[in-house]
Amino acid sequence: MTGTLPRFPSMQRGMTMPSLFSGVSTPSIPSLPRGLTMPSMPSLPSMPSLPRGITVPNFPSLPRGITVPNFPSMPSLPRGLTVPSLPSLPRGMSLPRSVAMSTISQAPRRLLQDCCSVLDHQTPGGLCGCCWALRPRYKRLVDNIFPEDPEEGLVKANMEKLTFFALSAPEKLDRIAAYLSERLTRDLNRHRYGYVCIAMEAMEQLLLACHCQSINLLVESFLSTLRLLLEHDKPHLHMLATNSFVKFANIEEDTPSYHRSYDFFVSRFSEMCHSEHEDPEMKNQIRVSGIRGLQGVVRKTVDDELQANIWELRHMEQIVPALLVNLQERTTADSESPAEQTEVCFRELLGRAAYGHINNAIRPVLMHLDSHSLWEGRSFAVQCFQIIMYSIQSQHSHLVIQQLLGHLDANSRSPASVRAGIVEVLSEAAVIEATGSVGPTVLEVFNTLLRQLRQSVDYELTGYYDNAGLNKTTSAEEKTLQDAVIKTIGSFANTLPVYQRSEVMLFIMGKIPVPGIYPALGSPNAGFEGSRMIQVMLLKSLLQVSERYESSNLLTALPSSFLEPLLSFTLMEDPEIRLLVLSILTSLIDRRHNAARLSTASVNFDVSVLELKEDRCSRQDVLFIRKHAQRLYRHVYLTCKEESSGRGHYQALFILLVVLSVELSNEEVVVDLIRLVLALQELALSNQEQLSVLNRCGVHALCAVFLHILSQLGPPLPLHQHIRKVIESRQKDAPHLLPEDVYCENPRLPEGELQVSEDFLFVQSEICEALTGSSYSAHDERFNTPYTPQLTDEDRLSKRKSIGDVVSLQMEMNPQEGSDTQQRPQTEQITFETLKNTIEDRGSVEEEERRRMQVVERFQTAPFEEIAAHCGARTSLLQTKLNEVFAMIIRPPPSPSGHTTPRSTPLYEMKFPDLCVY
């Protein structure tokens, strides 16, 4: 071919082109694709000229195997008739060589538009772009899956052909995906959303079919297509892309990918979770899609170490707040609601968190609750951390506790409502974390909570919760916080094993300020009242720990290091402190939980409701009785002497004595308890003690109700008869000596001085006679000895005068020799106080405090050499004073003749020969 058309014969006016070619065979032309039609050709003379600068491009050679048919010779055109030149084709269009024309002057605009429509989905350039039959096979297979009407959906038969081709030639997958993405982009730009859905469905089917080793060839085009859909402004396209991504996320890949990034999807799905669409139903659908998208990102990345690390803080700060916003708006229990979907996603996210990821997952939760002031409401914060504690692995739960404790310290200058909300969340988290592992720093947990108690006491006394005095607080708010902290301490302790609870109780006991020992514990502005409040708070915390403490061994539950400082608080003047100590003792001794059954003291109480043990005391219990029983009895006795003791104290004493008799039931304990009761009765009758009528009646009622119960626990019947006789006498003539009239809101007391007849008293001789002939008679000698409390110097802890007697030593001293005949005193009293004052010359309390502060300041500021020299000097001074004391003690008395006896050499100063030394 030469590039010009053959000469046509001349045509007469009115003749048509088909008549010219009658009898001439036309070469076969391949059929057009489905849905494409050839536009009608207008008459040639009416074609306009081509635009300036547009030329007909050179056509490439035909593919191998394709030939141009030979056209027969045609007659020439009539004289004067010429064929107009065709305009050049638009850029990107080409015609096959067989139809190229050299010069055509005009072409209608409609022809260009129709050509663009026909060749819409053709690749520009080359013969194959125009001829559909000559295009690559994968493009034809892709084109065949699209129907004429998008409402008909994907052509399944042709989709199967495309899938088979992709599986047979996996090297073409990247081209197939690119071409599908190209068609989808073109349809998206032209708002053909039906074809967009068809293209996405085809991509999904290809992903599911080719997910073994060739999925990486599809993923890049697939993810870029999803980005286009998510960047569009149509919500239904967002949901379409999310559904496709979720299906992709559920595919398990065999080959790793090193270059994928999901940062865009994390941010876009998080944005969808915050949707505020006008239509509420559409808003919920968008939010649910965003939540499902985040869930898909987590599933796709969390188990693949080569993927992007989704646990980085920058990702968690987008994902976690997006989930919490929807979780906060829980209104219904619909499984398709955003809140329900959020909870499922949140649980899955936390359940996949490893040890090193917990902190990054929890920190955004704390920040979200802070920024939206959600601690004060408490309900959502508690619900949120319940989900967290139940979702994470149990061995990681202590990390959540540590995060909450650190956050509590960071908010120590926040309002009381915020601190109380954090503490309540801690309490609920501790209840869930019941594995007994709060972490390696168990005591640090309690140290943080106790520090919050002390700070709360300071805030309550000053009225401000900051040092600047700008933010006010109230006593009610701080008490709410204190109650929450005490409850949390009990919750934490209940999650620990028994041996760790003992350590916690010792730790709390060591934190309780004792007057004279820790006078300045807490804030310097708190003073004595602050110390008293801290004592009460810590004892309440100790009571919370002891209430659920269960131990079969009282020696372990009440060691000397714990029992002695605890009992010392029964000497405090504050009645609330004494009542707390009695409750703590009762809870630790009451191993069978009988205290709840003894809440009401009555002389009609039936012992059958108590859980009595049939066997005798164990060896450990006997050792505990012999070691600590007298100390317990002493503090019971001293508590009854307190004028500030009220109804609650006597009821607590009654419960404590009954628990002792039940838990440590043997003859020796029963005899000692009867002796104690008789001593208390004498105390109530004594005029030497300045007790009110209420106190005296309370002690008499305590003796009556306890002996009534004790007589039913094993002693012989005559004892029960005597006690019952006295109680009946009191019921008839002296009801004010029984608990029913004394331990009530409005006690009925006699006017004036209390007069108690002998008929209303328990007589020691009759009780001893009632016990004769039983196993208790072996303790007659002990029973006949009146009980006297063992008095020690423990009163110094409560700043009271010591009631112990000091035994003094009388020593004669040598008369002073000299010209003057003035005689020195012949004796000098050497007491314990003398020795103590000789070793350490102590002044007043103020002077002692001043010296202590000087010592502290010296050790904080002075250099080490100066401190060492000072300590050495103190040691030499101490040795000198000790030598003086020893010289006074070992000095021989004067002889009767008046001459001084030669001083005998002390044994430690004698020098023996070497042969005598063994």
Side-chain angles (χ1 to χ4, degrees):
M1 298 181 65
T2 60
T4 59
L5 293 174
R7 298 178 60 86
F8 292 92
S10 60
M11 296 170 49
Q12 298 298 325
R13 182 176 298 175
M15 294 180 61
T16 59
M17 288 297 293
S19 62
L20 295 176
F21 297 97
S22 59
V24 180
S25 61
T26 304
S28 62
I29 301 176
S31 61
L32 294 176
R34 182 182 300 176
L36 295 179
T37 57
M38 289 297 293
S40 58
M41 296 294 294
S43 59
L44 294 178
S46 62
M47 293 182 181
S49 61
L50 290 175
R52 180 180 299 176
I54 297 178
T55 59
V56 178
N58 296 325
F59 298 102
S61 59
L62 294 176
R64 181 180 300 175
I66 300 178
T67 58
V68 179
N70 296 322
F71 292 94
S73 59
M74 300 180 182
S76 59
L77 295 175
R79 183 179 298 175
L81 182 62
T82 60
V83 179
S85 61
L86 293 174
S88 61
L89 298 176
R91 181 178 301 175
M93 295 182 59
S94 61
L95 292 174
R97 185 181 302 270
S98 59
V99 294
M101 299 181 181
S102 59
T103 55
I104 300 178
S105 59
Q106 294 181 354
R109 187 179 303 274
R110 182 178 177 184
L111 175 62
L112 295 177
Q113 293 176 353
D114 292 340
C115 290
C116 292
S117 178
V118 170
L119 305 175
D120 193 8
H121 297 297
Q122 308 290 336
T123 301
L127 177 64
C128 300
C130 181
C131 185
W132 185 86
L134 302 180
R135 302 180 68 222
R137 183 182 179 189
Y138 73 89
K139 290 187 177 182
R140 284 180 284 148
L141 292 173
V142 171
D143 291 335
N144 287 337
I145 67 175
F146 292 92
E148 296 182 1
D149 187 2
E151 294 183 358
E152 297 178 2
L154 183 66
V155 181
K156 296 182 179 181
N158 293 335
M159 186 64 210
E160 293 177 358
K161 295 179 182 179
L162 177 62
T163 305
F164 179 77
F165 176 78
L167 293 175
S168 302
E171 67 277 3
K172 298 294 182 66
L173 276 174
D174 54 344
R175 301 182 184 181
I176 295 174
Y179 184 58
L180 272 173
S181 178
E182 178 187 348
R183 286 205 56 152
L184 186 144
T185 304
R186 187 180 296 112
D187 291 332
L188 183 64
N189 294 333
R190 297 184 177 182
H191 306 289
R192 299 175 179 177
Y193 301 123
Y195 289 115
V196 170
C197 297
I198 293 174
M200 285 306 305
E201 185 180 354
M203 279 194 172
E204 293 172 7
Q205 293 190 18
L206 287 176
L207 280 172
L208 294 175
C210 308
H211 66 275
C212 295
Q213 297 181 354
S214 306
I215 191 172
N216 288 332
L217 300 175
L218 289 169
V219 170
E220 285 302 320
S221 299
F222 176 75
L223 294 180
S224 62
T225 304
L226 293 183
R227 292 190 187 98
L228 289 175
L229 296 180
L230 290 173
E231 290 173 352
H232 209 272
D233 57 351
K234 297 294 183 181
H236 69 276
L237 295 179
H238 300 167
M239 291 183 282
L240 175 65
T242 303
N243 294 333
S244 298
F245 184 85
V246 171
K247 293 178 182 178
F248 164 69
N250 293 330
I251 298 175
E252 296 182 1
E253 301 184 41
D254 298 332
T255 56
S257 177
Y258 302 91
H259 57 280
R260 293 183 200 166
S261 175
Y262 298 96
D263 295 353
F264 171 80
F265 295 98
V266 171
S267 60
R268 191 68 186 92
F269 290 144
S270 300
E271 183 182 351
M272 291 172 63
C273 293
H274 294 277
S275 174
E276 294 295 338
H277 199 274
E278 298 177 356
D279 186 7
E281 184 176 355
M282 180 60 68
K283 181 181 73 173
N284 289 340
Q285 292 179 1
I286 296 174
R287 289 193 173 191
V288 170
S289 296
I291 295 167
R292 295 179 65 243
L294 290 177
Q295 190 176 12
V297 173
V298 173
R299 289 179 180 176
K300 196 64 180 175
T301 59
V302 73
D303 293 330
D304 192 351
E305 296 179 357
L306 300 176
Q307 299 286 356
N309 187 6
I310 199 66
W311 299 108
E312 293 180 2
L313 188 60
R314 60 189 181 94
H315 293 314
M316 288 291 104
E317 288 179 350
Q318 293 179 345
I319 295 175
V320 174
L323 297 178
L324 294 181
V325 166
N326 291 278
L327 188 63
Q328 185 180 352
E329 298 180 0
R330 183 191 297 271
T331 56
T332 61
D334 186 9
S335 60
E336 296 298 328
S337 64
E340 295 297 329
Q341 293 289 331
T342 300
E343 183 174 347
V344 173
C345 181
F346 198 32
R347 289 182 183 276
E348 182 175 353
L349 174 67
L350 295 170
R352 295 172 178 264
Y355 180 85
H357 304 149
I358 296 294
N359 292 339
N360 288 346
I362 301 301
R363 190 180 305 173
V365 177
L366 301 176
M367 296 172 59
H368 180 82
L369 296 176
D370 286 340
S371 59
H372 292 80
S373 301
L374 297 176
W375 293 111
E376 300 178 3
R378 303 180 196 174
S379 58
F380 175 73
V382 170
Q383 174 193 2
C384 184
F385 274 90
Q386 283 177 345
I387 294 175
I388 293 174
M389 296 301 294
Y390 280 121
S391 301
I392 63 175
Q393 303 177 35
S394 59
Q395 65 268 25
H396 302 158
S397 56
H398 67 276
L399 295 176
V400 181
I401 303 298
Q402 291 179 359
Q403 285 276 346
L404 286 171
L405 289 172
H407 197 68
L408 180 60
D409 279 340
N411 286 271
S412 58
R413 303 291 181 184
S414 299
S417 57
V418 174
R419 286 176 281 140
I422 300 175
V423 170
E424 185 170 346
V425 170
L426 266 170
S427 177
E428 295 295 332
V431 171
I432 297 172
E433 201 268 328
T435 60
S437 172
V438 183
T441 57
V442 176
L443 296 181
E444 185 61 28
V445 175
F446 296 93
N447 191 27
T448 302
L449 294 174
L450 296 179
R451 184 166 59 248
Q452 292 296 323
L453 270 182
R454 288 195 292 270
Q455 290 179 353
S456 178
V457 170
D458 296 339
Y459 297 158
E460 183 179 356
L461 292 175
T462 58
Y464 298 92
Y465 59 84
D466 57 351
N467 294 331
L470 300 177
N471 300 314
K472 292 185 178 181
T473 185
T474 62
S475 178
E477 293 177 350
E478 294 299 334
K479 286 191 177 299
T480 302
L481 170 64
Q482 294 163 10
D483 293 340
V485 172
I486 293 171
K487 177 185 175 183
T488 304
I489 289 175
S491 300
F492 268 109
N494 293 333
T495 64
L496 300 175
V498 175
Y499 72 93
Q500 284 189 337
R501 295 188 201 181
S502 301
E503 295 178 359
V504 169
M505 289 192 294
L506 286 172
F507 180 77
I508 297 176
M509 179 60 67
K511 295 290 185 179
I512 301 178
V514 180
I517 299 179
Y518 304 110
L521 184 64
S523 173
N525 301 326
F528 177 77
E529 178 62 20
S531 298
R532 189 200 70 82
M533 294 175 64
I534 293 175
Q535 286 176 350
V536 173
M537 295 296 105
L538 295 183
L539 287 174
K540 287 182 177 179
S541 303
L542 195 59
L543 179 60
Q544 286 286 328
V545 178
S546 64
E547 281 182 346
R548 296 188 181 181
Y549 181 83
E550 296 180 358
S551 175
S552 58
N553 187 356
L554 289 180
L555 282 176
T556 304
L558 291 168
S560 299
S561 58
F562 176 78
L563 183 61
E564 292 180 3
L566 178 64
L567 290 177
S568 65
F569 287 102
T570 59
L571 304 176
M572 295 290 181
E573 296 179 356
D574 192 336
E576 185 177 5
I577 293 177
R578 297 200 308 273
L579 184 59
L580 287 171
V581 172
L582 293 175
S583 301
I584 293 171
L585 283 173
T586 303
S587 61
L588 291 174
I589 298 174
D590 185 20
R591 293 172 292 185
R592 290 169 175 77
H593 309 289
N594 288 316
R597 303 178 180 89
L598 298 169
S599 58
T600 302
S602 174
V603 293
N604 298 319
F605 186 81
D606 187 5
V607 182
S608 61
V609 300
L610 300 179
E611 294 183 3
L612 301 178
K613 62 178 183 179
E614 298 179 357
D615 54 344
R616 298 179 63 83
C617 289
S618 63
R619 181 174 178 272
Q620 291 81 5
D621 291 345
V622 172
L623 291 176
F624 176 81
I625 294 170
R626 294 176 179 176
K627 188 175 183 180
H628 300 296
Q630 295 303 320
R631 186 183 295 272
L632 287 171
Y633 302 154
R634 172 180 180 267
H635 285 277
V636 171
Y637 183 86
L638 295 178
T639 303
C640 290
K641 290 178 63 176
E642 293 291 338
E643 297 180 5
S644 58
S645 297
R647 179 186 65 181
H649 295 82
Y650 294 119
Q651 288 183 340
L653 287 171
F654 157 70
I655 296 174
L656 176 61
L657 291 176
V658 174
V659 168
L660 279 173
S661 60
V662 172
E663 296 289 339
L664 307 173
S665 179
N666 61 16
E667 291 81 359
E668 183 179 352
V669 173
V670 172
V671 170
D672 286 341
L673 289 176
I674 294 176
R675 292 173 59 224
L676 175 61
V677 169
L678 294 177
L680 292 177
Q681 182 176 261
E682 292 297 327
L683 174 66
L685 295 173
S686 175
N687 294 324
Q688 297 179 359
E689 302 295 338
Q690 301 297 326
L691 296 178
S692 64
V693 177
L694 177 62
N695 295 125
R696 296 179 187 274
C697 292
V699 173
H700 281 296
L702 172 63
C703 297
V705 67
F706 173 67
L707 286 178
H708 168 70
I709 295 179
L710 185 64
S711 63
Q712 304 178 51
L713 295 178
L717 183 61
L719 176 62
H720 179 70
Q721 293 175 350
H722 170 68
I723 293 173
R724 192 62 196 174
K725 177 182 177 182
V726 175
I727 291 176
E728 290 176 354
S729 299
R730 291 186 179 186
Q731 288 176 340
K732 182 178 180 181
D733 298 326
H736 53 274
L737 301 179
L738 295 176
E740 286 81 2
D741 286 4
V742 179
Y743 304 155
C744 59
E745 293 291 337
N746 298 314
R748 293 183 288 271
L749 303 177
E751 297 179 359
E753 294 292 334
L754 179 64
Q755 300 295 330
V756 181
S757 174
E758 294 183 358
D759 296 336
F760 306 147
L761 300 177
F762 303 99
V763 182
Q764 179 181 356
S765 59
E766 293 188 13
I767 294 176
C768 184
E769 182 179 356
L771 297 177
T772 302
S774 63
S775 59
Y776 298 91
S777 59
H779 304 277
D780 286 344
E781 182 178 355
R782 185 181 185 89
F783 185 79
N784 292 325
T785 304
Y787 172 78
T788 303
Q790 297 178 357
L791 304 180
T792 63
D793 60 343
E794 289 182 357
D795 289 340
R796 67 183 176 84
L797 298 177
S798 59
K799 295 184 178 181
R800 301 174 185 171
K801 294 182 179 180
S802 176
I803 54 179
D805 296 332
V806 179
V807 180
S808 62
L809 301 176
Q810 301 293 331
M811 300 296 293
E812 293 183 359
M813 307 301 295
N814 290 333
Q816 183 179 3
E817 297 180 358
S819 59
D820 298 334
T821 59
Q822 182 179 4
Q823 299 287 333
R824 291 183 59 187
Q826 297 297 320
T827 61
E828 180 179 352
Q829 186 177 11
I830 301 177
T831 63
F832 174 77
E833 294 294 334
T834 303
L835 296 175
K836 186 176 180 181
N837 293 332
T838 302
I839 296 175
E840 181 180 0
D841 185 13
R842 299 180 61 182
S844 61
V845 177
E846 293 78 7
E847 182 68 18
E848 180 183 355
E849 181 66 19
R850 186 182 63 81
R851 289 182 180 180
R852 190 181 67 84
M853 296 301 296
Q854 290 178 354
V855 171
V856 172
E857 183 179 0
R858 178 179 300 172
F859 274 85
Q860 289 177 347
T861 59
F864 176 76
E865 292 78 6
E866 181 180 347
I867 296 174
H870 176 73
C871 293
R874 294 275 297 177
T875 304
S876 301
L877 179 61
L878 175 62
Q879 186 64 38
T880 302
K881 290 187 177 183
L882 286 175
N883 293 335
E884 293 177 0
V885 172
F886 293 152
M888 293 171 57
I889 295 176
I890 66 175
R891 183 176 299 162
S895 63
S897 60
H899 298 283
T900 304
T901 305
R903 177 177 178 271
S904 60
T905 303
L907 185 64
Y908 60 86
E909 292 183 2
M910 291 182 181
K911 294 183 179 180
F912 297 92
D914 295 339
L915 296 177
C916 296
V917 178
Y918 176 72

